[in-house]
Each structure stands twice: as C-alpha cells, then as structure tokens.
Amino acid sequence: MSGENGLALLALGPAGAVGLYWALYRYYRNTDKSHAFERETRVEAKPVTGSDVKVGTNNGTQNRRIEGENLRDYRRRVQQMRKDGG
C-alpha cells in the first residue's frame, strides 16, 4: 500500500465518525425541521377549578417511620410472577 492510499484510509475513519455523528444528531434532534410551538399551536385557557381543603398538619413530627409502611412485608409489596402467565 502506498503512502498516499494509507493516509486516505486513515482520514476515512474520523471523517466517517463525524458524518455518522452529524446524521444521528440531525435524526434525533430534528434540526432540519421547523416548528414554532407558540405560533402553530393553539391552547385555550380555561378558568381554574378546584378547591383548597386543608387535610391535616405535619408540624413537629417526631416519628421516624410512616404509618402503614410495608417496607419489611415484602410478600405484600411484591407479587410473584408465575411461568404459566397467570
């Protein structure tokens, strides 16, 4: 292999990597597409509905555990998957 052909072959690797990176970037980022969300998308505002109901307080809590936790009861937390699909 002559020196000129070897140099061209060595340059082909990085050039191919750059080309592949650019193609994947354009494919996943859609940089060649344009969409102006603010202009092309219509969003209708509606009045806020709901209520503010105070459920309880949690000030000065001293408990280190949550009431009703199932951390150690793994059989209740995790259901076994059977091989027959049921």
Side-chain angles (χ1 to χ4, degrees), residues 66-82:
I66 297 173
E67 187 177 326
E69 62 142 18
N70 61 358
L71 179 67
R72 289 181 175 76
D73 191 7
Y74 68 91
R75 292 198 186 271
R76 195 173 76 195
R77 278 191 305 128
V78 180
Q79 295 177 1
Q80 184 177 10
M81 295 181 65
R82 290 186 271 165

Side-chain angles (χ1 to χ4, degrees), residues 8-51:
L9 188 60
L10 283 174
L12 198 62
V18 168
L20 177 64
Y21 176 81
W22 182 249
L24 289 173
Y25 178 81
R26 287 179 53 105
Y27 177 77
Y28 285 108
R29 298 290 298 172
N30 293 326
T31 54
D32 56 339
K33 314 284 188 296
S34 64
H35 174 65
F37 181 83
E38 295 82 7
R39 289 192 315 266
E40 299 174 6
T41 306
R42 185 174 184 186
V43 178
E44 294 185 23
K46 297 181 181 179
V48 177
T49 59
S51 63

